[in-house]
């Protein structure tokens, strides 16, 4: 059966230079430049196109001091995906860098974990420290989509389509979900912020933006079980992804890479 095998792409849309101590709970003794890349992902297969996360726009980039390298609609268009025709978005969590661009996908329904909407609209948002990675306009936009009948809720592990499942990981954000996709090279896990960088999961270290440290660490174990190998785990913000995987087409180097083919040796 091949009707559950998908192509998977990482589409880079923004960049942020920062020093390594900012990326780790308890800091980093090396204090080196360790930038973050910002991605959305696309899963393309026999059941249609599934876009994972919706990034942020130019106004949010200015507000947060990030640099847009290519607006998400343009990045998706470069691999033949028309944003206004996309039917399904999987939202990994409601941090500002994963759920902006509210009107770019007018036809889409949004797949979200129950826990994430409860977390982002509930008591924990009374605390300024917890609110830092959230934007009220993003959360309100998602609530409006709930009332418009455009949100599909999931609780834990569920199948989105044959070969595509979502898995609640929590930890970094209380209702964070990762996505497991069957590809021709085996099962790839789009971890999103379940591991920001390869260093987090490979070294058992934790991003400072965290709801629950224990769940982050347990999440690493879960992701490793879901993926066919460590090479099948795709971190949410690591620029190395752009070097390890081939460009989706000539001219897309450092912008869009294929994740359903083996990494370069
Ligand atoms: Zn996040
Ligand atoms: Zn993020």
């Amino acid at each position: 059966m091949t009707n559950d095998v998908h192509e998977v792409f990482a589409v880079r849309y923004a960049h942020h230079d920062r020093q390594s101590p900012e990326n780790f709970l308890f800091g980093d003794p090396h204090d080196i430049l360790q930038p973050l890349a910002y991605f959305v992902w696309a899963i393309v297969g026999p059941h249609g196109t599934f876009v994972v996360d919706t990034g942020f726009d130019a106004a949010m980039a200015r507000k947060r001091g990030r640099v847009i390298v290519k607006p998400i609609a343009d990045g998706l268009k470069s691999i033949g995906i028309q944003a206004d025709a996309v039917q399904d978005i999987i939202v990994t969590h409601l941090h500002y860098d994963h759920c902006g661009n509210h009107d770019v996908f007018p036809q889409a329904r949004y797949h979200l974990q129950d826990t994430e909407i409860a977390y982002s609209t509930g008591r924990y948002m009374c605390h300024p420290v917890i609110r830092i990675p959230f934007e009220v306009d993003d959360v309100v936009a998602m609530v409006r989509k709930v009332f418009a009948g455009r949100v599909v809720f999931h609780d834990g592990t569920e199948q989105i389509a044959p070969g595509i499942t979502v898995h609640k990981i929590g930890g970094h954000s209380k209702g964070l979900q990762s996505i497991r996709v069957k590809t021709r090279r085996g099962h790839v896990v789009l971890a999103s912020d379940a591991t920001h960088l390869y260093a987090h999961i490979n070294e058992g270290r934790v991003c400072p933006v965290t709801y629950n440290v224990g769940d982050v660490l347990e999440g690493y174990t879960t992701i490793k079980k879901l993926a066919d190998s460590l090479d099948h785990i795709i971190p949410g913000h690591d620029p190395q992804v752009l070097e390890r995987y081939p460009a989706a087409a000539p001219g897309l180097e450092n912008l869009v890479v294929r994740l359903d083919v083996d990494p370069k040796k």
Side-chain angles (χ1 to χ4, degrees):
M1 292 290 287
T2 55
N3 75 339
D4 57 355
V5 175
H6 301 80
E7 298 178 349
V8 187
F9 303 87
V11 181
R12 173 178 173 248
Y13 72 91
H15 178 87
H16 179 53
D17 277 330
R18 58 163 60 170
Q19 292 296 116
S20 60
E22 287 184 68
N23 288 329
F24 300 101
L25 188 64
F26 310 123
D28 182 61
H30 304 299
D31 198 8
I32 52 170
L33 183 68
Q34 191 173 49
L36 295 187
Y38 294 79
F39 298 98
V40 298
W41 300 269
I43 302 167
V44 180
H47 305 279
T49 295
F50 300 80
V51 171
V52 177
D53 289 342
T54 60
F56 53 72
D57 63 12
M60 187 57 62
R62 278 192 298 277
K63 178 177 178 182
R64 295 266 182 171
R66 273 58 172 157
V67 178
I68 298 272
V69 294
K70 195 167 191 138
I72 60 160
D74 296 348
L76 291 168
K77 198 173 176 185
S78 72
I79 48 171
I81 297 171
Q82 295 291 338
D84 58 7
V86 170
Q87 299 289 311
D88 288 279
I89 307 277
I90 302 170
V91 179
T92 62
H93 62 306
L94 291 174
H95 287 170
Y96 79 95
D97 52 322
H98 297 262
C99 66
N101 291 301
H102 312 140
D103 301 319
V104 168
F105 303 96
Q107 294 199 48
R109 56 199 171 155
Y110 289 69
H111 298 264
L112 186 66
Q113 289 281 327
D114 286 330
T115 307
E116 189 65 1
I117 199 85
Y119 178 53
S120 61
T121 56
R123 65 167 60 227
Y124 292 108
M125 295 305 130
C126 299
H127 304 292
V129 167
I130 301 269
R131 285 199 300 267
I132 288 172
F134 290 92
E135 289 283 340
V136 65
D137 288 344
D138 290 339
V139 176
V140 168
M142 191 58 71
V143 171
R144 288 189 182 282
K145 288 187 172 75
V146 173
F147 276 71
R150 295 180 58 199
V151 177
V152 182
F153 283 106
H154 301 284
D155 183 16
T157 297
E158 289 192 41
Q159 179 175 284
I160 303 290
I164 305 174
T165 48
V166 293
H167 302 265
K168 187 173 121 182
I169 303 295
H172 165 70
S173 190
K174 196 175 180 190
L176 172 77
Q177 59 186 350
S178 299
I179 299 100
R180 182 180 196 237
V181 188
K182 188 171 174 186
T183 73
R184 58 182 166 158
R185 73 174 174 118
H187 285 101
V188 168
V189 173
L190 298 174
S192 183
D193 290 1
T195 184
H196 286 64
L197 304 172
Y198 286 106
H200 288 110
I201 192 165
N202 291 345
E203 298 167 20
R205 300 165 80 189
V206 175
C207 168
V209 178
T210 291
Y211 166 74
N212 182 306
V213 171
D215 286 350
V216 170
L217 296 168
E218 286 293 303
Y220 296 156
T221 305
T222 302
I223 291 167
K224 286 175 185 170
K225 280 185 193 157
L226 292 171
D228 277 17
S229 79
L230 286 177
D231 270 344
H232 290 72
I233 297 170
I234 311 299
H237 289 280
D238 202 322
Q240 285 183 38
V241 170
L242 299 157
E243 294 160 21
R244 292 191 187 197
Y245 292 92
L252 294 180
E253 292 80 10
N254 217 22
L255 283 173
V256 185
V257 294
R258 285 285 292 265
L259 304 174
D260 56 311
V261 297
D262 288 327
K264 299 183 227 169
K265 292 300 172 201

